[in-house]
Amino acid sequence: MSTEKTDVVIVGSGFGGAIAAYHLAAGGAKVVVLERGPWLQSNEFEHDFLLGSSYTRAFDFVVGDGMSVLGGNCVGGGSVVYFAAMPRAPRFVFERHGSIGRRMWPASIDRSSLDPWYDKVAEALPVSQQDWNDVSYSGGLWAAACHHAGRTANPAPVAIDNGKCTNCNWMMGGCRFDAKRSLLTNYLPAALAHGARIRPLHEVQQLSRTEDGGYRVSYNVVDEEDYREHTGRGVIEAKIVVLAAGAGATPVILQRSEATLGAMPHAVGRYFSGNGERLNTAVLDEDKVREVLGLSREDGIPYEANQIGKGPTVANWDKLDGSLPEYSRYSLEQLYFPPGLGTILAQVPGGADPTWFGAEKKELLKRWRSWLTIFLMTEDDNEGVFGPPPPTGNAFRISQQMLGRGPLSYEPTANTKHGWALADADVKDIMERDGLAKVAPWTNDVVGAYTVHPLASCRIGDDPATSALGDNHELRDHPGIFVTDGSSVPGALTVNPAMTIAALAERAVPGIVKAARERGVDVSYGAPSPDGATSGRRATLRLVPSLSAGE
């Protein structure tokens, strides 16, 4: 078998992979992107929950010991299945100490230093600030409830073209209308236009070194219908490898590669964060929606709107206050979570124990249109640890698609539980005033804690003992390997992390370009944003002028 060669192999096509792929390809490097999941077109994003639909094909749900992770598994990665909320991390996040007792983030990064990279992402996608005419009815109700309780409410910044959005509320399974600005609509097509090659259904297994100091990337080809089956395998050699397979897969690849690369930094597969996430379901009293909040729709129904609109459009940020003690800061975000997992984990308010079936649960499910789901993003203690990797992939595959059993263990500390309890109590106080609703947190008893925003399993930092990467995202003791996905983020952000992951990936690119040039790759830095705009390029070029090919 002949071995293919290229300049750069990128593993994964979410924010961390797509952004690197675009800039490196636009700068002249030969780039191959290996993506574990399928390449779905807009008309393949289906509005159903059937086996084999876009839901089961495009998601990766891995159950660990005490923590379950829901992520993207397709070209475009998490950007295809996210809700497109794109807030920037609060300033206090970068000063967090967390479980290590000192600043987790590298000294070179704070909110001010990251703002030019945030700006670049905002220009590229683009990201816009919604006004009250753009929010969903569910978001409006959450805002009204916050106001009624003396709290504030904020329309969330989003990567959505509201002119194209039909308010179908199926965006979690991909957007049929290209209203959601996933990476399929910006960085990835731009990377393709510059010659990057994207290979779906290619699951990377292991890295090893070549004799000339480069890397050999071994992969399996995954069957398009049954992800447990492999239809082939192959190897690509590259001078640079960028790992962006997600915080649940990147550390597993590196752990499996110890046999061929040598010892990994201590922090690989440790310090995993679930972004402190938790969900509450408020079951609304329809009459009280009218009486207490004064709301109703054109047809006279006060609410019954859980399925109408889009994902999160309104958030309460009152507790994103840097003067508060750590583990007491969090955001509360209205969220549409479709039937399925939510109907299993949502609990009957007022019950002493988890209720899976029976008359009360049946009545709860009958009223699902009157639910309002509130998404809590708190500060956790980076408790997650990955055990020995499975033989292939990031998990033992249980079903044809989507479901697996992974090596992640997670035991929440008292600090994490404290943050959850404060946020739970806040939601209860807001939603149960004057009988508006009854609230219950989702249970952790079946799949443990859960996250849709896994972070920090190969994090950046200044301390080699507690970080896997330097502040340039290069893997310690393994030059030429970079990590640019959510696993590089040091800890919980208290807000949706996509914007920060993307900004860090943009920030990492100049260092990757520099390393590639040192290894003989003819590549430059300074391409405009994928939409052709140049203001973001000019701002960031001032930070790295030596890598520019000229304006």
Side-chain angles (χ1 to χ4, degrees), residues 99-122:
S99 60
I100 64 173
R102 58 188 178 279
R103 195 177 191 271
M104 290 191 292
W105 284 75
S108 60
I109 302 177
D110 58 17
R111 171 60 187 270
S112 295
S113 69
L114 200 56
D115 268 333
W117 307 102
Y118 276 132
D119 291 343
K120 195 169 173 65
V121 176

Side-chain angles (χ1 to χ4, degrees), residues 107-191:
S108 60
I109 302 177
D110 58 17
R111 171 60 187 270
S112 295
S113 69
L114 200 56
D115 268 333
W117 307 102
Y118 276 132
D119 291 343
K120 195 169 173 65
V121 176
E123 182 179 80
L125 292 180
V127 175
S128 60
Q129 179 63 53
Q130 297 184 112
D131 64 29
W132 289 108
N133 294 315
D134 298 320
V135 306
S136 66
Y137 191 74
S138 297
L141 187 141
W142 171 238
C146 288
H147 178 73
H148 176 70
R151 314 302 179 85
T152 68
N154 309 272
V158 295
I160 295 173
D161 183 342
N162 282 306
K164 292 182 178 180
C165 182
T166 66
N167 290 311
C168 69
N169 228 341
W170 284 91
M171 66 189 298
M172 188 175 175
C175 182
R176 290 180 64 89
F177 311 105
D178 290 332
K180 180 170 65 175
R181 289 167 171 142
S182 74
L183 298 168
L184 297 174
T185 67
N186 37 72
Y187 283 99
L188 288 175

Side-chain angles (χ1 to χ4, degrees), residues 10-330:
I10 297 175
V11 183
S13 58
F15 285 104
I19 288 172
Y22 165 64
H23 285 292
L24 291 164
K30 293 182 289 184
V31 175
V32 176
V33 179
L34 301 179
E35 166 57 52
R36 176 183 60 188
W39 196 336
L40 300 174
Q41 305 301 315
S42 299
N43 61 4
E44 294 182 87
F45 296 129
E46 296 160 301
H47 291 181
D48 62 47
F49 301 101
L50 302 177
L51 181 65
S53 73
S54 56
Y55 262 80
T56 57
R57 294 174 68 196
F59 274 112
D60 184 46
F61 184 65
V62 177
V63 179
D65 180 10
M67 170 66 76
S68 293
V69 178
L70 183 66
N73 181 58
C74 56
V75 173
S79 79
V80 173
V81 298
Y82 81 147
F83 282 120
M86 297 291 276
R88 303 183 185 200
R91 290 186 180 277
F92 67 78
V93 160
F94 301 95
E95 307 304 323
R96 286 195 62 214
H97 285 198
S99 60
I100 64 173
R102 58 188 178 279
R103 195 177 191 271
M104 290 191 292
W105 284 75
S108 60
I109 302 177
D110 58 17
R111 171 60 187 270
S112 295
S113 69
L114 200 56
D115 268 333
W117 307 102
Y118 276 132
D119 291 343
K120 195 169 173 65
V121 176
E123 182 179 80
L125 292 180
V127 175
S128 60
Q129 179 63 53
Q130 297 184 112
D131 64 29
W132 289 108
N133 294 315
D134 298 320
V135 306
S136 66
Y137 191 74
S138 297
L141 187 141
W142 171 238
C146 288
H147 178 73
H148 176 70
R151 314 302 179 85
T152 68
N154 309 272
V158 295
I160 295 173
D161 183 342
N162 282 306
K164 292 182 178 180
C165 182
T166 66
N167 290 311
C168 69
N169 228 341
W170 284 91
M171 66 189 298
M172 188 175 175
C175 182
R176 290 180 64 89
F177 311 105
D178 290 332
K180 180 170 65 175
R181 289 167 171 142
S182 74
L183 298 168
L184 297 174
T185 67
N186 37 72
Y187 283 99
L188 288 175
L192 287 170
H194 286 282
R197 292 171 289 166
I198 302 173
R199 296 181 182 169
L201 300 170
H202 281 56
E203 183 178 63
V204 169
Q205 305 301 319
Q206 193 173 42
L207 309 180
S208 57
R209 283 193 178 84
T210 61
E211 292 182 359
D212 62 0
Y215 291 96
R216 185 174 294 108
V217 181
S218 302
Y219 62 85
N220 291 337
V221 181
V222 179
D223 183 82
E224 63 180 350
E225 291 187 2
D226 190 340
Y227 297 166
R228 297 169 297 186
E229 300 295 326
H230 299 149
T231 61
R233 63 185 59 189
V235 171
I236 302 180
E237 290 184 359
K239 298 175 181 178
I240 295 287
V241 174
V242 179
L243 289 173
T250 288
V252 179
I253 294 170
L254 289 176
Q255 287 177 323
R256 191 183 292 118
S257 300
E258 277 198 313
T260 48
L261 290 180
M264 287 291 126
H266 174 77
V268 169
R270 291 181 172 85
Y271 304 108
F272 174 92
S273 167
N275 202 32
E277 291 174 2
R278 189 163 168 84
L279 288 157
N280 278 224
T281 297
V283 184
L284 292 155
D285 182 322
E286 293 286 342
D287 292 334
K288 292 292 186 179
V289 171
R290 182 186 291 110
E291 295 169 12
V292 175
L293 301 181
L295 298 180
S296 68
R297 302 206 311 271
E298 292 179 358
D299 56 10
I301 299 172
Y303 180 63
E304 284 196 351
N306 189 42
Q307 77 280 20
I308 301 170
K310 50 178 76 81
T313 57
V314 175
N316 172 273
W317 292 328
D318 290 349
K319 296 301 174 67
L320 297 186
D321 180 351
S323 68
L324 294 173
E326 197 168 358
Y327 307 106
S328 64
R329 302 171 296 201
Y330 50 82

Side-chain angles (χ1 to χ4, degrees), residues 374-445:
I374 307 302
F375 189 36
L376 289 51
M377 287 169 278
T378 72
E379 295 171 303
D380 68 5
D381 247 343
N382 292 77
E383 299 99 319
V385 178
F386 284 80
T392 64
N394 67 314
F396 294 92
R397 291 289 149 198
I398 296 172
S399 64
Q400 281 182 219
Q401 298 165 7
M402 188 171 172
L403 184 60
R405 178 78 185 181
L408 175 63
S409 296
Y410 187 90
E411 179 64 36
T413 66
N415 286 331
T416 297
K417 291 178 180 178
H418 174 72
W420 287 346
L422 290 176
D424 284 346
D426 222 358
V427 174
K428 191 176 184 70
D429 182 57
I430 292 169
M431 293 305 303
E432 292 194 348
R433 290 201 179 203
D434 297 320
L436 178 62
K438 292 291 185 181
V439 177
W442 285 20
T443 180
N444 289 7
D445 285 13

